[in-house]
Amino acid sequence: MSEEPEIVLGLYVPPHPHPLLASEQNEGWGKLRDAFDTCRQRIEESDADLMLIYSTTWPSIVGHQIQAHPKPVFTHVDDDFHFLGSMPYEFHMDAEYAECYREACEARGLHARTVAFDGFPIDTGSVVALKLLNPDNRIPACIVSSNVYSNRAEQIVLGKAARDAMSKLGKKVVVVVVASLSNRMFTEHIDPADDRIHSAKDDEWNRKILEFFENGRLEDISQLSRDIQGQIRVSKVVAYKPAWWMAATMGQHNNYDGEVLAYEALHGAGGAVIQLTPAKGGVGDKEFDEDDVEFYHGDRSVLDKGML
Amino acid sequence: MAKGEVVLGCLAPHPPHVVYAENPEQNEPFSEGGWEALRWGYHSLARKLKGIDYDCIVVLTPHWQTYVGTHFLGLERFQNISVDPIFPNLFRFNHDITVDVEMAEAMHDAAAEAGIITKMMRNPDFRVDYGTIVSCHMLNPDWDKPIVTISSNRSTHYYSNEVMNEQATALGDAVMKAIEASGKKVVLVASHSLSHRHFVTEAPLPEDMSREHIYNHSQYVWDMKIIDMMRRGEMQEVIDVLPEMIEQTMAEAEGGGLTWMMAAMGMPDYPAEIYGYQSVIGTGNAIAAWDPNEATRQLVL
Ligand SMILES: [Fe+2]
């Protein structure tokens, strides 16, 4: 697929329901909610016609599942935070894109299937993202699962397949990844006023990752994925996959304008709302960029002082 | 009031495939059968259960995953459709579940008293997990007894398999105290498989048994080792080697079900009744029961 898809913007948002259900209970949760609202407004002002979500709270086993029910309706309740309230939803999915994405996955050797069943349990992270970013179903959406056994190569190809389908249908897309940064929560119930990042180490790593995001270095974050998994991710799954998928889906480079709209604790986990907008200039000044991918100019001399 | 007691403990795996294969009226998809070794084992255990006098079924399920403590269903009735997030093509089950809230609260209070982080689940929109539904349907397809569901605290993920074993043991001890004080006769259910590595592709016809086999031989050897120990009544030893088994086979016992149940039953040293073993999409599934009553305990398989 030679034609590049049009990605309007990329968003990285947290999965927990607090910004949706309890934003008034804690100042930080309120800031995350405000950041979601800002993103919603920016999406409305864009000419995007598809929102594609990759959710770390939708695990799959049989390949990659893609939500294709044109109008899923249900009331969702979170396993842990059920006491914060229910999340009734009615969404508008782009079934055509879902089928096209499945075909693109299969063409790239991945096992994939669409799901379109009444009452299918859409996960907390996707429900929160769709309700806050696309409350009136202004643009149709699609959700792809996170296969529990998949690893780097598979996630990256899954991202490439998402691009194939975008190009084929000529979509203008908002790419949304639903994931925490550090994902260790407190194991006891806390007073909302006492929420904070679980540990200083988690906080330091989160801030380092946010620096990368702010500089638009998405591909670099993807390259650092295994370090991030080892340092600040609870071993629920074998790898920190969202960065691989997001970087692959958005084009495997570092050329974005990054903006961290909020970074706050969600029951101890690192919750951030981040926007990446594809940029024009700037190629070549970041670690994994190459000056020229067609002609060999010699290895970059990283130990020299350069222009100093 | 007579002291309450556990009248039977069941290891009851919950692949939705077995309900799918049964074609009960509550489940929407239609199947041509499959997984008979498990289903016929379940039928046999369900018949035994019919002959036992009991008040409620208490299930610990790894598909209600909580990171903040251990939660208990706390409302009398849950009516809904349960669609399996992993196998929605096989399991879309209309259920009407009655909960023994009094028992759930007693267990919650006893666990809290023992220092375990706890929470009652009181949201009427909450969807009961499919692990609970599959195990309970296969054990009691008439659904004529109230249940209690206990969530699976993810201490394996947050700490280690050893910490899970310690915490699930503490929960089992607390639950036993609550049962004794209640005066009730209770059936305990650990709802999970043994080895738990899945195939990541599915046959066009999921019940095509020519495609079904264990994921690899190592999983099989571990499963057989554990079943052998169960037959010999070596449950303390099973619990002791469980961290290693979980590590090597991704065993679903990581959710704490077996450890919890064995602790609540005082770590049985008598033979388990084995009702069946079969793989489902590569995972190893054993149906077993522990009958504390020597007079009714059987050699089944
Ligand atoms: Fe399971």
Side-chain angles (χ1 to χ4, degrees), chain A residues 105-125:
Chain A
C105 286
E106 285 168 358
R108 285 183 177 271
L110 299 171
H111 190 82
R113 67 182 179 192
T114 53
V115 293
F117 299 105
D118 289 340
F120 183 90
I122 297 182
D123 61 288
T124 296

Side-chain angles (χ1 to χ4, degrees), chain B residues 14 62-63 130 193 196 252:
Chain B
H14 57 243
H63 293 289
Y130 67 93
S193 307
H196 205 234
E252 211 180 14

Side-chain angles (χ1 to χ4, degrees), chain B residues 80-242:
Chain B
N80 213 327
I81 182 167
S82 170
V83 179
D84 185 323
I86 309 286
F87 303 103
N89 50 327
L90 309 183
F91 191 79
R92 305 190 295 279
F93 190 93
N94 293 285
H95 60 268
D96 185 353
I97 293 173
T98 307
V99 175
D100 185 339
V101 178
E102 189 185 54
M103 191 75 242
E105 284 173 345
M107 289 177 174
H108 165 275
D109 294 350
E113 176 90 355
I116 296 165
I117 309 292
T118 53
K119 189 89 184 168
M120 290 302 293
M121 204 306 298
R122 310 275 196 197
N123 186 325
D125 296 322
F126 186 78
R127 183 143 51 168
V128 176
D129 74 286
Y130 67 93
T132 295
I133 295 172
V134 170
S135 294
C136 287
H137 181 83
M138 295 307 290
L139 289 170
N140 178 30
D142 294 335
W143 288 94
D144 56 357
K145 298 282 184 180
I147 68 160
V148 172
T149 292
I150 305 177
S151 77
S152 164
N153 179 266
R154 309 315 287 166
S155 46
T156 284
H157 292 159
Y158 265 40
Y159 302 104
S160 68
N161 298 333
E162 287 78 5
V163 169
M164 175 281 291
N165 249 357
E166 294 293 322
Q167 293 192 349
T169 299
L171 182 65
D173 292 343
V175 157
M176 190 57 225
K177 281 186 189 144
I179 291 170
E180 284 181 350
S182 74
K184 290 185 177 176
K185 295 182 194 311
V186 175
V187 172
L188 298 184
V189 175
S191 172
H192 58 80
S193 307
L194 293 179
S195 68
H196 205 234
R197 182 60 165 90
H198 303 77
F199 293 113
V200 294
T201 58
E202 193 178 54
L205 186 70
E207 60 268 39
D208 178 352
M209 289 296 103
S210 70
R211 305 277 290 265
E212 186 62 78
H213 59 89
I214 193 76
Y215 188 83
N216 66 34
H217 189 63
S218 158
Q219 310 284 90
Y220 170 80
V221 170
W222 260 110
D223 288 346
M224 288 305 120
K225 172 81 181 162
I226 294 294
I227 289 171
D228 248 15
M229 291 165 89
M230 289 175 175
R231 283 187 200 282
R232 290 200 298 267
E234 296 171 354
M235 290 317 296
Q236 182 62 61
E237 290 80 354
V238 168
I239 300 306
D240 288 346
V241 300
L242 210 50

Side-chain angles (χ1 to χ4, degrees), chain A residues 80 82 86 113 119 149 184, chain B residues 67 71 125 127 158 198 202:
Chain A
D80 254 307
H82 42 79
S86 306
R113 67 182 179 192
Y149 296 112
R184 184 173 285 274
Chain B
Y67 292 86
H71 299 214
D125 296 322
R127 183 143 51 168
Y158 265 40
H198 303 77
E202 193 178 54

